Amino acid sequence: MKKAVNHYDWVSVTLHWASAVVIIGLFAVGLWMVDLNYYSSWYTVAPHWHKSVGLTLAAVTLFRLLWKTVKQQPAIEGATWEKALAKLAHLVIYVLLFGLFVSGYLISTSDGRGIEVFDWLTVPSMGELFPDQSDVAGEIHEYLAYALIGLATLHAVAALKHHFVNKDNTLKKMLGVKEK
């Protein structure tokens, strides 16, 4: 029987906070990017970086899920309903992320061109799989992004509630602080 752990390992902590920063950054850049016009010097640069970082986040998220299956995680603290909501929120966050990855791919590849990732590699295109793919996937991408940011905000508020109201170890575990 494995000994219970009471904090996250440095890999989990790093992946969590790096993902949070990248997600917020991608959201902000996405909001800014949709208003760029053809004559802006950022018109092609910003989407290239947005797609490259987004696909890198997709790979990191896959690794993160794999890591969670091989590395023991600390127990979730709180009442039974809080534990259930926390598990549901984490599941929905991952579903939203993968929805964003797929919809972003569908937006970017509907014209038959692959996605250049930092000029290192090209993710191939499957072409247009359904009519108005870019527009439909773009709308889905936007709604999923807002939903993810909303749920991530709720996730952060819940962590702060655990820290300041419940005065439990929830936030400290994800900050990499070990209990004494």
Side-chain angles (χ1 to χ4, degrees), residues 56-154:
T56 303
L57 179 64
V60 167
T61 303
L62 285 170
F63 174 77
R64 189 173 174 191
L65 286 172
L66 177 65
W67 186 257
K68 285 173 73 96
T69 64
V70 299
K71 189 70 177 172
Q72 190 176 358
Q73 306 290 306
I76 297 173
E77 299 182 35
T80 304
W81 66 270
E82 287 177 310
K83 292 176 186 179
L85 281 177
K87 288 179 182 181
L88 177 62
H90 285 104
L91 174 66
V92 173
I93 284 171
Y94 283 112
V95 168
L96 290 169
L97 281 168
F98 283 102
L100 282 162
F101 302 146
V102 170
S103 61
Y105 172 83
L106 292 174
I107 296 165
S108 301
T109 60
S110 66
D111 64 359
R113 290 182 291 167
I115 303 171
E116 293 289 327
V117 181
F118 297 117
D119 298 324
W120 297 337
L121 64 107
T122 302
V123 176
S125 169
M126 294 189 294
E128 189 170 45
L129 303 174
F130 53 89
D132 300 320
Q133 179 173 309
S134 289
D135 293 336
V136 172
E139 205 162 321
I140 291 169
H141 196 73
E142 180 181 5
Y143 289 131
L144 292 177
Y146 278 107
L148 178 61
I149 290 299
L151 189 53
T153 301
L154 188 60

Side-chain angles (χ1 to χ4, degrees), residues 148-174:
L148 178 61
I149 290 299
L151 189 53
T153 301
L154 188 60
H155 176 69
V157 168
L160 292 171
K161 179 248 184 210
H162 275 275
H163 187 74
F164 292 110
V165 176
N166 296 23
K167 300 195 185 307
D168 65 25
N169 198 34
T170 299
L171 184 58
K172 288 180 185 175
K173 287 188 291 191
M174 193 43 82

